[in-house]
Amino acid sequence: MQPELKRKTSLFLVFFLLSLLVTVGTVQAAPEETISVSMHHYILQPGSKGMLDVKEIVVVNNQGAEIAAGAGKVKFVLPEGYQDLIFAGGTEQLVEAKGQELVVTAAVPKGESTYRFGYLLPAGAAPHFILKHRLPYPTETLFVLTPLQGVSVSSTKLVDGGVSQEQQARIYMADNLPAGEQVDMVVTLGAGAAAGGVTQPPPNPKFHNPGHIRLWYQSPFKGINAHLFMVMVIGVPLAGLIYYVFKRRQMGDALKAKGDPEEEMFHRLMAREKVLLQKIGELDEKRANQEVDEDTYRQLREAYKKKLVNVKAQLKEFTG
């Protein structure tokens, strides 16, 4: 009985750990989508000549091998009608503007790379600006930051993340956006903007506190999928607890059996009785099918019955 329990416990742990490894492999493999965006920031504020000043900070995560310079596999889409494209943080040496696309011409190393650029956007129907953006890659988190006053953002894809006292800005956000997702924003400046900004969230939006997200991306674990990390943090200790409970129960049963030899003998006799009854039944079936002759049948059945009578007599001593 004890080896069987130990075997089941070991099998349970093996299957649990294998399931974790399969999950990790499933999340990390995705060979067809090695490029994703960890964070995409839009920083919106009033610009010169009544235009909208837009700055973008894109953190690209290359989960595959390094992409060679000139491959042009990583690119960003610029909005229609943009003007005065500028770069920051050395991005001008890494990219090239081609129409409405910003193509990365430098090598893209494995891991995260950051690209910073900005432009001016003319008004659609003043004081409103239409900012349309189709995501070329899966995006974990999209942030839109505006001043506390004088700018509002309306979008069905964003939710109001509140005010960041640290950055003195209002934050709009969305997370876990698939590649190809269309995010359209209507930005209003000046007197036409609602105080603090207004957004139109979809029903029951799913998002995380911006402070928590910021802390996560500043932590050493930012390269791991946050939801998978949570599963591992909860699952591994839970597996350890289950193993501990099984082990304690196993040790308790062993000590109990060791401390009570009569009980151990009783269980052995019960098992012996069961085996003998089974053998008699099998022998009767073989005789009915004419698989054994009459003499062999009688000899074996008599031997089994004698042993069974002896076992029952010993069991009677335990039960009184």
Side-chain angles (χ1 to χ4, degrees), residues 3 7 9-10 14 24 28 65 117-118 134 139 145 156 158 165 184 200 216 236 245 252 299:
R7 185 177 68 84
T9 303
S10 301
V14 169
V24 173
Q28 292 182 344
F117 53 94
R134 183 177 295 276
T139 301
L145 283 73
T156 59
L158 301 174
Q165 297 297 337
D184 295 339
Q200 301 169 357
W216 172 259
V236 172
V245 171
Q299 291 176 7

Short mmCIF file of all heavy atoms in Angstrom, two decimals, residues 3 7 9-10 14 24 28 65 117-118 134 139 145 156 158 165 184 200 216 236 245 252 299:
data_model
loop_
_atom_site.label_atom_id
_atom_site.label_comp_id
_atom_site.label_asym_id
_atom_site.label_seq_id
_atom_site.Cartn_x
_atom_site.Cartn_y
_atom_site.Cartn_z
N PRO A 3 4.15 1.70 -1.08
CA PRO A 3 4.80 1.98 -2.36
C PRO A 3 3.83 2.55 -3.39
O PRO A 3 4.19 3.39 -4.20
CB PRO A 3 5.34 0.61 -2.79
CG PRO A 3 5.50 -0.14 -1.51
CD PRO A 3 4.38 0.31 -0.64
N ARG A 7 4.22 6.06 -5.26
CA ARG A 7 4.27 6.13 -6.72
C ARG A 7 3.28 7.16 -7.26
O ARG A 7 3.60 7.95 -8.14
CB ARG A 7 3.95 4.75 -7.31
CG ARG A 7 4.10 4.67 -8.82
CD ARG A 7 3.83 3.26 -9.31
NE ARG A 7 2.44 2.91 -9.12
CZ ARG A 7 1.48 3.23 -10.00
NH1 ARG A 7 1.77 3.90 -11.09
NH2 ARG A 7 0.23 2.87 -9.77
N THR A 9 2.12 9.78 -5.66
CA THR A 9 2.60 11.13 -5.30
C THR A 9 3.67 11.60 -6.28
O THR A 9 3.66 12.73 -6.75
CB THR A 9 3.16 11.13 -3.87
OG1 THR A 9 2.16 10.66 -2.98
CG2 THR A 9 3.58 12.53 -3.46
N SER A 10 4.61 10.71 -6.60
CA SER A 10 5.68 11.06 -7.53
C SER A 10 5.13 11.37 -8.91
O SER A 10 5.54 12.33 -9.57
CB SER A 10 6.69 9.91 -7.62
OG SER A 10 7.24 9.64 -6.35
N VAL A 14 5.44 14.89 -11.07
CA VAL A 14 6.04 14.88 -12.41
C VAL A 14 5.09 15.52 -13.41
O VAL A 14 5.49 16.38 -14.21
CB VAL A 14 6.37 13.43 -12.83
CG1 VAL A 14 6.73 13.39 -14.31
CG2 VAL A 14 7.54 12.91 -12.01
N VAL A 24 5.37 27.10 -20.23
CA VAL A 24 6.47 28.02 -20.52
C VAL A 24 6.88 27.91 -21.97
O VAL A 24 7.08 28.89 -22.67
CB VAL A 24 7.67 27.71 -19.60
CG1 VAL A 24 8.87 28.53 -20.01
CG2 VAL A 24 7.31 28.02 -18.16
N GLN A 28 6.80 30.90 -24.77
CA GLN A 28 8.05 31.46 -25.26
C GLN A 28 8.34 31.08 -26.71
O GLN A 28 9.10 31.74 -27.38
CB GLN A 28 9.20 30.98 -24.38
CG GLN A 28 9.14 31.58 -22.98
CD GLN A 28 10.30 31.15 -22.14
OE1 GLN A 28 11.00 30.19 -22.47
NE2 GLN A 28 10.53 31.82 -21.04
N ALA A 65 16.21 35.34 -32.67
CA ALA A 65 17.62 35.68 -32.88
C ALA A 65 17.74 37.12 -33.36
O ALA A 65 16.77 37.75 -33.77
CB ALA A 65 18.23 34.73 -33.90
N PHE A 117 10.56 58.82 -31.00
CA PHE A 117 10.37 59.75 -32.11
C PHE A 117 9.12 60.58 -31.85
O PHE A 117 8.30 60.26 -30.97
CB PHE A 117 10.26 59.01 -33.45
CG PHE A 117 9.23 57.91 -33.47
CD1 PHE A 117 7.94 58.15 -33.91
CD2 PHE A 117 9.56 56.62 -33.04
CE1 PHE A 117 6.99 57.14 -33.93
CE2 PHE A 117 8.61 55.60 -33.06
CZ PHE A 117 7.33 55.86 -33.50
N GLY A 118 8.98 61.68 -32.60
CA GLY A 118 7.83 62.56 -32.41
C GLY A 118 7.49 63.29 -33.70
O GLY A 118 8.26 63.28 -34.67
N ARG A 134 -2.82 51.59 -36.12
CA ARG A 134 -2.99 50.13 -36.24
C ARG A 134 -1.71 49.48 -35.72
O ARG A 134 -0.62 49.75 -36.21
CB ARG A 134 -3.25 49.72 -37.68
CG ARG A 134 -3.50 48.21 -37.84
CD ARG A 134 -3.85 47.86 -39.28
NE ARG A 134 -5.10 48.46 -39.68
CZ ARG A 134 -6.30 47.91 -39.45
NH1 ARG A 134 -6.38 46.76 -38.79
NH2 ARG A 134 -7.39 48.51 -39.85
N THR A 139 0.91 43.93 -28.52
CA THR A 139 1.36 44.96 -27.59
C THR A 139 0.85 44.66 -26.19
O THR A 139 -0.36 44.53 -25.99
CB THR A 139 0.86 46.35 -28.04
OG1 THR A 139 1.36 46.62 -29.36
CG2 THR A 139 1.33 47.43 -27.09
N LEU A 145 -0.41 59.53 -22.46
CA LEU A 145 -0.23 60.50 -21.39
C LEU A 145 -0.58 61.89 -21.90
O LEU A 145 -0.15 62.29 -23.00
CB LEU A 145 1.21 60.50 -20.87
CG LEU A 145 1.62 59.35 -19.94
CD1 LEU A 145 1.77 58.04 -20.70
CD2 LEU A 145 2.93 59.67 -19.22
N THR A 156 -12.69 54.10 -27.81
CA THR A 156 -13.39 52.91 -27.32
C THR A 156 -12.42 51.82 -26.88
O THR A 156 -12.83 50.83 -26.29
CB THR A 156 -14.30 52.34 -28.42
OG1 THR A 156 -13.50 52.02 -29.56
CG2 THR A 156 -15.37 53.33 -28.80
N LEU A 158 -9.48 52.51 -25.07
CA LEU A 158 -8.68 52.93 -23.92
C LEU A 158 -9.55 53.10 -22.69
O LEU A 158 -10.75 53.37 -22.79
CB LEU A 158 -7.96 54.25 -24.22
CG LEU A 158 -7.00 54.26 -25.41
CD1 LEU A 158 -6.48 55.67 -25.65
CD2 LEU A 158 -5.84 53.31 -25.19
N GLN A 165 0.77 61.34 -10.20
CA GLN A 165 1.35 62.49 -9.52
C GLN A 165 2.84 62.60 -9.82
O GLN A 165 3.39 63.70 -9.87
CB GLN A 165 1.12 62.37 -8.01
CG GLN A 165 -0.35 62.37 -7.60
CD GLN A 165 -1.05 63.68 -7.95
OE1 GLN A 165 -0.41 64.72 -8.11
NE2 GLN A 165 -2.37 63.62 -8.08
N ASP A 184 -8.17 53.97 -32.40
CA ASP A 184 -8.47 55.33 -32.88
C ASP A 184 -8.74 56.23 -31.69
O ASP A 184 -9.47 55.86 -30.76
CB ASP A 184 -9.68 55.32 -33.80
CG ASP A 184 -9.42 54.53 -35.09
OD1 ASP A 184 -8.24 54.37 -35.43
OD2 ASP A 184 -10.39 54.09 -35.72
N GLN A 200 -14.07 56.81 -23.30
CA GLN A 200 -15.26 55.97 -23.38
C GLN A 200 -14.82 54.52 -23.32
O GLN A 200 -14.50 53.92 -24.34
CB GLN A 200 -16.00 56.25 -24.70
CG GLN A 200 -16.43 57.70 -24.84
CD GLN A 200 -16.93 58.01 -26.23
OE1 GLN A 200 -16.90 57.16 -27.11
NE2 GLN A 200 -17.38 59.23 -26.42
N TRP A 216 6.30 46.72 -12.19
CA TRP A 216 6.66 45.44 -12.81
C TRP A 216 7.76 45.63 -13.85
O TRP A 216 8.74 44.89 -13.89
CB TRP A 216 5.43 44.81 -13.46
CG TRP A 216 5.76 43.59 -14.27
CD1 TRP A 216 5.89 43.51 -15.62
CD2 TRP A 216 6.07 42.29 -13.77
NE1 TRP A 216 6.24 42.24 -16.00
CE2 TRP A 216 6.36 41.47 -14.88
CE3 TRP A 216 6.11 41.74 -12.49
CZ2 TRP A 216 6.69 40.13 -14.75
CZ3 TRP A 216 6.44 40.40 -12.36
CH2 TRP A 216 6.73 39.62 -13.48
N VAL A 236 4.04 26.59 -7.79
CA VAL A 236 5.16 25.83 -7.23
C VAL A 236 5.02 25.64 -5.72
O VAL A 236 5.15 24.51 -5.22
CB VAL A 236 6.50 26.51 -7.59
CG1 VAL A 236 7.65 25.83 -6.86
CG2 VAL A 236 6.73 26.45 -9.10
N VAL A 245 1.84 17.33 2.37
CA VAL A 245 0.68 16.68 2.97
C VAL A 245 0.68 15.19 2.67
O VAL A 245 0.45 14.35 3.56
CB VAL A 245 -0.62 17.34 2.46
CG1 VAL A 245 -1.84 16.54 2.90
CG2 VAL A 245 -0.72 18.77 2.96
N GLY A 252 2.67 8.81 8.35
CA GLY A 252 1.75 8.45 9.42
C GLY A 252 1.22 7.04 9.27
O GLY A 252 1.14 6.28 10.24
N GLN A 299 -8.71 -31.68 -7.20
CA GLN A 299 -7.53 -31.55 -6.35
C GLN A 299 -7.22 -30.08 -6.02
O GLN A 299 -6.97 -29.73 -4.87
CB GLN A 299 -6.32 -32.18 -7.06
CG GLN A 299 -6.40 -33.70 -7.18
CD GLN A 299 -5.25 -34.28 -7.98
OE1 GLN A 299 -4.32 -33.56 -8.35
NE2 GLN A 299 -5.31 -35.59 -8.26
#
